[in-house]
Amino acid sequence: MGADSNTGNSEAPHTKAGIASDLRRLGVSTGQVLMVHSSLSAIGHVLGGAPTVVRALMDVLGPQGTLVMPAFSPGVSDPATWNDHHFGDDVIEFVRRHVPAFDPAITPTSMGAIAETFRTWPDVMRSEHPQVSVTARGPLARFIVSPHELSWGQGAGSPFARLYELDAKLLLLGVGFNRATLLHFAESRLPHGRRKMRKIPVDAGSERAWVSAPDVGDDLNRYFPLIGEQFMQLGQAQVGPVGRARCKLTSAQAIVDFASDFLSKALDPDATSH
């Protein structure tokens, strides 16, 4: 499965050919538009690391396919909202002044080694949202990444809406549905969906400004894992290994439509008030 052979009791590392074979067996094929959320460590020992996985994905999709990945940069935000750092009142304003603004060519992504490797790959395009950008490579890359407005970065008019419009394939490579940003797009379509305001640093010359933009609220594993569990029971996703990673492949429209229906009921204010 991914590893080409085993030697003794130790597992052989996974190669580009083995990963490509697993992807094809799962249902990834030439010419698809493929949105990938991934974990390199879930695959196991990959010869060549993340670049090998990126090459395998591109080989399977071929020149007519378009590969898409998240390139989120949550650190380009108000440091008061950071969960991994807590600053005192005497420091927080200093940090706000010096948080690096978003640069699509330079700002790294926190979405894992595969996504970060793909971000810097030749001919990859990146959308311009400072916090929830996406990267894409292939014939439909420009259409997918642009425009990407500050407001509703995961909603109508965003790359995620266009992935739904194209009925892209969604590949969860060793990760769960809690990582599937298309579920946020599903929620954005609901009038009673959860909402939040993003705070984004924007520099104009030597001046620092903070811009507020509305978007879909965070799930924090409240509903998304359950959506994934119930969706899988319908049999609309293909399941299989890529290396050692348990993977799921499905239609963007299928999962978004299911999630919209689920969240419409779960978040219905009339239903929860009784």
Side-chain angles (χ1 to χ4, degrees):
M1 289 184 181
D4 294 330
S5 63
N6 289 321
T7 302
N9 294 322
S10 62
E11 180 183 352
H14 306 288
T15 66
K16 184 182 75 166
I19 292 170
S21 177
D22 286 349
L23 289 166
R24 291 188 180 97
R25 188 178 299 110
L26 185 64
V28 180
S29 62
T30 301
Q32 288 176 340
V33 178
L34 183 70
M35 174 61 161
V36 181
H37 295 267
S38 61
S39 167
L40 178 63
S41 62
I43 301 173
H45 181 196
V46 178
L47 287 178
T52 295
V53 180
V54 173
R55 287 189 177 98
L57 286 161
M58 293 192 301
D59 282 359
V60 174
L61 292 175
Q64 298 307 310
T66 300
L67 181 59
V68 188
M69 295 192 194
F72 298 174
S73 42
V76 186
S77 62
D78 184 353
T81 66
W82 296 353
N83 293 323
D84 55 346
H85 289 87
H86 298 283
F87 301 101
D89 293 342
D90 57 335
V91 176
I92 192 69
E93 288 305 322
F94 172 83
V95 179
R96 283 195 179 106
R97 289 194 301 272
H98 293 280
V99 169
F102 179 70
D103 183 335
I106 296 172
T107 302
T109 177
S110 63
M111 302 303 287
I114 295 170
E116 174 62 6
T117 297
F118 183 63
R119 181 187 70 81
T120 64
W121 206 270
D123 302 320
V124 166
M125 299 180 179
R126 187 180 193 180
S127 69
E128 295 191 350
H129 196 287
Q131 293 179 8
V132 289
S133 66
V134 300
T135 47
R137 185 181 189 274
L140 292 172
R142 188 175 301 279
F143 170 76
I144 291 168
V145 304
S146 182
H148 200 171
E149 305 293 342
L150 293 184
S151 295
W152 303 108
Q154 298 172 108
S158 74
F160 307 102
R162 291 187 288 277
L163 288 168
Y164 175 82
E165 175 187 333
L166 292 165
D167 196 17
K169 292 292 186 179
L170 171 66
L171 172 60
L172 300 176
L173 203 170
V175 300
F177 280 90
N178 62 328
R179 293 277 296 274
T181 311
L182 283 166
L183 299 187
H184 289 295
F185 170 67
E187 186 168 349
S188 77
R189 306 195 300 174
L190 307 179
H192 51 278
R194 295 164 292 183
R195 304 291 184 249
K196 70 177 182 181
M197 294 297 293
R198 296 186 181 278
K199 293 185 177 180
I200 299 167
V202 178
D203 290 342
S206 60
E207 297 298 318
R208 160 62 53 96
W210 285 87
V211 175
S212 294
D215 208 342
V216 188
D218 298 321
D219 181 68
L220 303 177
N221 291 331
R222 183 174 182 183
Y223 293 118
F224 288 4
L226 183 57
I227 289 171
E229 179 181 324
Q230 293 191 8
F231 180 76
M232 293 297 295
Q233 292 173 0
L234 298 177
Q236 294 192 50
Q238 294 155 277
V239 180
V242 172
R244 295 178 61 187
R246 184 175 184 268
C247 301
K248 297 163 280 286
L249 181 73
T250 190
S251 148
Q253 291 182 2
I255 184 59
V256 167
D257 290 346
F258 179 84
S260 294
D261 182 64
F262 179 102
L263 290 167
S264 180
K265 297 170 183 173
L267 299 173
D268 185 349
D270 295 329
T272 57
S273 64
H274 292 100

